[in-house]
Amino acid sequence: MLKLGQIRKNGGCLLFWCFFLSLLPNRYCVNNKNSEQKIQTGWALLFVAWIVATIATFASLFFSEIMGVPVCKLCWYQRIAMYPLVLVLASALFPYDPKVVRVAGVLTGVGWLISMFQVLLIAGVIPENIRPCVQGIPCSETHISLLGFLNIPLLSLLTFSLIGILLFYTHRKESS
């Protein structure tokens, strides 16, 4: 017959091991090599997305703070979508958490829409009466042009597109 002290001791030990095993990432609990490969591929895709977001963040800070390029309202909104991606994606890497793709996807989608709007604004597709930057720094001006056609809003659109593609493939790897 078990005594109350033994139940507490054995139950506490069981609770400790259940808690400890729940903290381990899924890659340590799965013996399937295919699952291990999916996790490694998903982690690598998230890592590349994090690198892209980090480079974009430092580049935007370089352009505005060191080169003195003025920042319009739409550029600020794009920064609001990009800067948290660095922290959100980094938090998904250690330990690997593919659920963060949803949060990062929302930020990426919002940033992509804003940058697409600004690219269309610069191209003249959007009419004059719905331009958001009428006072202060105009959103339709380009201050830097690389290779004659790559301006900062277009670089932002390409960056959000690349991050979106990487997040899509990460989600696809995890759901298959």
Side-chain angles (χ1 to χ4, degrees):
M1 186 162 162
L2 290 174
K3 294 182 182 176
L4 185 58
Q6 289 176 329
I7 293 174
R8 270 192 244 147
K9 181 180 174 186
N10 293 337
C13 186
L14 179 65
L15 284 175
F16 169 77
W17 282 108
C18 288
F19 176 73
F20 177 74
L21 291 175
S22 70
L23 293 177
L24 289 176
N26 288 338
R27 65 175 164 247
Y28 296 120
C29 300
V30 178
N31 292 330
N32 189 353
K33 288 187 179 189
N34 191 20
S35 296
E36 181 72 26
Q37 186 177 13
K38 277 194 322 188
I39 289 172
Q40 289 176 350
T41 305
W43 188 90
L45 289 169
L46 275 183
F47 181 72
V48 172
W50 175 76
I51 292 290
V52 170
T54 303
I55 291 171
T57 298
F58 285 132
S60 73
L61 289 171
F62 175 78
F63 284 138
S64 65
E65 299 301 319
I66 296 176
M67 292 186 64
V69 176
V71 182
C72 68
K73 282 185 182 179
L74 289 178
C75 293
W76 275 113
Y77 296 148
Q78 292 169 49
R79 286 177 172 206
I80 290 170
M82 180 62 71
Y83 290 179
L85 278 174
V86 176
L87 300 175
V88 168
L89 292 172
S91 70
L93 293 173
F94 303 106
Y96 174 63
D97 184 13
K99 295 175 189 168
V100 172
V101 169
R102 292 179 181 172
V103 175
V106 170
L107 287 169
T108 303
V110 168
W112 188 89
L113 288 173
I114 294 168
S115 60
M116 177 58 91
F117 181 81
Q118 189 171 10
V119 166
L120 293 175
L121 187 69
I122 291 171
V125 175
I126 297 193
E128 290 281 334
N129 58 354
I130 58 172
R131 293 187 179 197
C133 306
V134 290
Q135 295 178 351
I137 302 165
C139 293
S140 59
E141 287 184 14
T142 57
H143 299 282
I144 292 178
S145 182
L146 305 171
L147 303 175
F149 68 96
L150 284 176
N151 51 32
I152 293 175
L154 184 58
L155 288 171
S156 176
L157 180 67
L158 293 173
T159 301
F160 279 117
S161 298
L162 179 59
I163 292 172
I165 290 168
L166 291 167
L167 292 175
F168 172 76
Y169 281 115
T170 302
H171 178 69
R172 190 170 169 194
K173 278 285 185 192
E174 293 302 319
S175 62
S176 64

